[in-house]
Amino acid sequence: MKIFYIHHALRATGNPPSQDDGLQELGIADAEIVAKLFQQAKTNGLTIKAIYSSNYFRCKETSKIINEYINAPIIEDARLNEYVSVRQATKYGLPENDPSIETWLDCQMRIINCIKDIVEKHEEKDVVICVTSGVNITPFISLAYQVQPSNDLPCPSVPSCSPIAFEINKSSFSFIKDN
């Protein structure tokens, strides 16, 4: 199956930043460009079965913009939410015991389990889109290239609204050990 990872469109960061931050005009334009590319691919025979989205506002808005052009079900899943480290908790004004604070490894496993569930729901020939945050690309790479998740893996960032396609074989999930 094919999964398109898409980083949400460029966000309008509030002061202080919040998970309810919306999109900048440039981000909206980026999302429309990506949506038109998917619309063209749909015209050429690509059938997108669903859009899975983090429940953060910027991801939901990006998903809605893309979906205006492709008309697929949007499914929100909090497991696609971004990684919130202890360091970031201060930035967002979260208390130290907030349940959204996790280790980098825990974040990777959360997203991997989400991707596993998505793959289980779909046929080998299906195409889906996952709209999430930039650093969350690492679990997608782990699955696609069979790299065991660890706290030592990089936490890269991805540009606004950049789609990255991953070919996923349903039988390749057995190498990931659940924690």
Side-chain angles (χ1 to χ4, degrees), residues 3-9 51-56 58-64 66 74-75 77 80-81 128-133 136 140 161:
I3 297 179
F4 282 92
Y5 160 93
I6 298 181
H7 179 266
H8 61 76
I51 300 172
Y52 291 85
S53 176
S54 158
N55 62 8
Y56 290 158
R58 60 191 174 271
C59 295
K60 292 190 298 187
E61 288 302 299
T62 302
S63 297
K64 287 178 187 174
I66 292 169
I74 297 175
I75 301 157
D77 194 321
L80 289 171
N81 290 352
V128 299
I129 294 172
C130 293
V131 179
T132 184
S133 298
N136 292 347
F140 286 82
C161 222

Side-chain angles (χ1 to χ4, degrees), residues 52-96:
Y52 291 85
S53 176
S54 158
N55 62 8
Y56 290 158
F57 187 72
R58 60 191 174 271
C59 295
K60 292 190 298 187
E61 288 302 299
T62 302
S63 297
K64 287 178 187 174
I65 292 168
I66 292 169
N67 201 38
E68 288 174 14
Y69 293 82
I70 63 171
N71 194 28
I74 297 175
I75 301 157
E76 289 181 31
D77 194 321
R79 294 177 299 171
L80 289 171
N81 290 352
E82 74 180 349
Y83 168 55
V84 179
S85 65
V86 174
R87 181 182 57 80
Q88 291 168 310
T90 306
K91 177 179 166 184
Y92 292 115
L94 299 173
E96 288 183 27

Side-chain angles (χ1 to χ4, degrees), residues 27-164:
I28 293 168
D30 288 345
E32 288 174 346
I33 289 168
V34 169
K36 289 174 185 175
L37 291 171
F38 278 116
Q39 181 184 45
Q40 181 63 41
K42 184 178 175 182
T43 302
N44 292 330
L46 182 73
T47 302
I48 298 169
K49 296 291 185 175
I51 300 172
Y52 291 85
S53 176
S54 158
N55 62 8
Y56 290 158
F57 187 72
R58 60 191 174 271
C59 295
K60 292 190 298 187
E61 288 302 299
T62 302
S63 297
K64 287 178 187 174
I65 292 168
I66 292 169
N67 201 38
E68 288 174 14
Y69 293 82
I70 63 171
N71 194 28
I74 297 175
I75 301 157
E76 289 181 31
D77 194 321
R79 294 177 299 171
L80 289 171
N81 290 352
E82 74 180 349
Y83 168 55
V84 179
S85 65
V86 174
R87 181 182 57 80
Q88 291 168 310
T90 306
K91 177 179 166 184
Y92 292 115
L94 299 173
E96 288 183 27
N97 62 349
D98 189 284
S100 64
I101 299 170
E102 61 191 345
T103 68
W104 177 224
L105 179 59
D106 288 341
C107 172
Q108 292 171 70
M109 292 310 300
R110 169 175 48 85
I111 295 167
I112 284 170
N113 287 326
C114 178
I115 297 168
K116 285 180 179 181
D117 288 348
I118 291 169
V119 171
E120 297 250 339
K121 292 176 187 173
H122 292 278
E123 301 295 321
E124 193 70 45
K125 62 180 177 22
D126 287 351
V127 177
V128 299
I129 294 172
C130 293
V131 179
T132 184
S133 298
V135 298
N136 292 347
I137 184 113
T138 299
F140 286 82
I141 294 169
S142 290
L143 281 175
Y145 294 99
Q146 300 186 1
V147 175
Q148 190 65 37
S150 95
N151 278 320
D152 297 328
L153 288 179
C155 185
S157 189
V158 178
S160 167
C161 222
S162 47
I164 301 170

